[in-house]
PDB file of all heavy atoms in Angstrom:
ATOM      1  N   GLY A  13      -4.305  23.928  -7.500  1.00  0.00           N
ATOM      2  CA  GLY A  13      -4.312  22.733  -8.346  1.00  0.00           C
ATOM      3  C   GLY A  13      -4.097  21.434  -7.599  1.00  0.00           C
ATOM      4  O   GLY A  13      -3.773  20.416  -8.204  1.00  0.00           O
ATOM      5  N   VAL A  15      -6.311  19.474  -6.057  1.00  0.00           N
ATOM      6  CA  VAL A  15      -7.313  18.456  -6.362  1.00  0.00           C
ATOM      7  C   VAL A  15      -7.001  17.805  -7.712  1.00  0.00           C
ATOM      8  O   VAL A  15      -7.078  16.581  -7.851  1.00  0.00           O
ATOM      9  CB  VAL A  15      -8.745  19.053  -6.324  1.00  0.00           C
ATOM     10  CG1 VAL A  15      -9.766  18.040  -6.809  1.00  0.00           C
ATOM     11  CG2 VAL A  15      -9.082  19.510  -4.908  1.00  0.00           C
ATOM     12  N   VAL A  32      -7.149   2.139  -6.194  1.00  0.00           N
ATOM     13  CA  VAL A  32      -6.886   3.436  -5.575  1.00  0.00           C
ATOM     14  C   VAL A  32      -8.154   3.975  -4.925  1.00  0.00           C
ATOM     15  O   VAL A  32      -9.259   3.800  -5.439  1.00  0.00           O
ATOM     16  CB  VAL A  32      -6.323   4.452  -6.615  1.00  0.00           C
ATOM     17  CG1 VAL A  32      -7.320   4.714  -7.726  1.00  0.00           C
ATOM     18  CG2 VAL A  32      -5.897   5.755  -5.967  1.00  0.00           C
ATOM     19  N   SER A  49      -5.793  16.396  -0.006  1.00  0.00           N
ATOM     20  CA  SER A  49      -6.300  15.219  -0.715  1.00  0.00           C
ATOM     21  C   SER A  49      -5.529  13.999  -0.232  1.00  0.00           C
ATOM     22  O   SER A  49      -4.309  14.028  -0.136  1.00  0.00           O
ATOM     23  CB  SER A  49      -6.109  15.367  -2.227  1.00  0.00           C
ATOM     24  OG  SER A  49      -6.875  16.429  -2.724  1.00  0.00           O
ATOM     25  N   ILE A  70       4.334  13.206   1.181  1.00  0.00           N
ATOM     26  CA  ILE A  70       3.503  14.406   1.161  1.00  0.00           C
ATOM     27  C   ILE A  70       3.951  15.227  -0.035  1.00  0.00           C
ATOM     28  O   ILE A  70       5.148  15.477  -0.202  1.00  0.00           O
ATOM     29  CB  ILE A  70       3.647  15.239   2.458  1.00  0.00           C
ATOM     30  CG1 ILE A  70       3.060  14.475   3.650  1.00  0.00           C
ATOM     31  CG2 ILE A  70       2.980  16.609   2.292  1.00  0.00           C
ATOM     32  CD1 ILE A  70       3.228  15.180   4.986  1.00  0.00           C
ATOM     33  N   GLU A  74       2.775  24.330  -0.787  1.00  0.00           N
ATOM     34  CA  GLU A  74       3.145  25.512  -0.019  1.00  0.00           C
ATOM     35  C   GLU A  74       3.808  25.054   1.278  1.00  0.00           C
ATOM     36  O   GLU A  74       3.399  24.055   1.865  1.00  0.00           O
ATOM     37  CB  GLU A  74       1.862  26.325   0.241  1.00  0.00           C
ATOM     38  CG  GLU A  74       2.057  27.725   0.715  1.00  0.00           C
ATOM     39  CD  GLU A  74       2.121  27.797   2.235  1.00  0.00           C
ATOM     40  OE1 GLU A  74       1.615  26.895   2.909  1.00  0.00           O
ATOM     41  OE2 GLU A  74       2.703  28.776   2.733  1.00  0.00           O
ATOM     42  N   VAL A 129      11.154  22.319  -4.250  1.00  0.00           N
ATOM     43  CA  VAL A 129      11.105  22.601  -5.679  1.00  0.00           C
ATOM     44  C   VAL A 129      10.802  24.083  -5.890  1.00  0.00           C
ATOM     45  O   VAL A 129       9.849  24.609  -5.314  1.00  0.00           O
ATOM     46  CB  VAL A 129      10.022  21.739  -6.368  1.00  0.00           C
ATOM     47  CG1 VAL A 129       9.982  22.016  -7.868  1.00  0.00           C
ATOM     48  CG2 VAL A 129      10.257  20.253  -6.095  1.00  0.00           C
ATOM     49  N   SER A 136       8.130  30.122 -14.701  1.00  0.00           N
ATOM     50  CA  SER A 136       8.633  31.242 -15.501  1.00  0.00           C
ATOM     51  C   SER A 136       9.255  30.738 -16.799  1.00  0.00           C
ATOM     52  O   SER A 136       9.025  31.299 -17.879  1.00  0.00           O
ATOM     53  CB  SER A 136       9.652  32.037 -14.687  1.00  0.00           C
ATOM     54  OG  SER A 136      10.192  33.082 -15.457  1.00  0.00           O
TER      55      SER A 136
END
Side-chain angles (χ1 to χ4, degrees):
V15 173
V32 62
S49 296
I70 293 177
E74 194 270 337
V129 181
S136 177

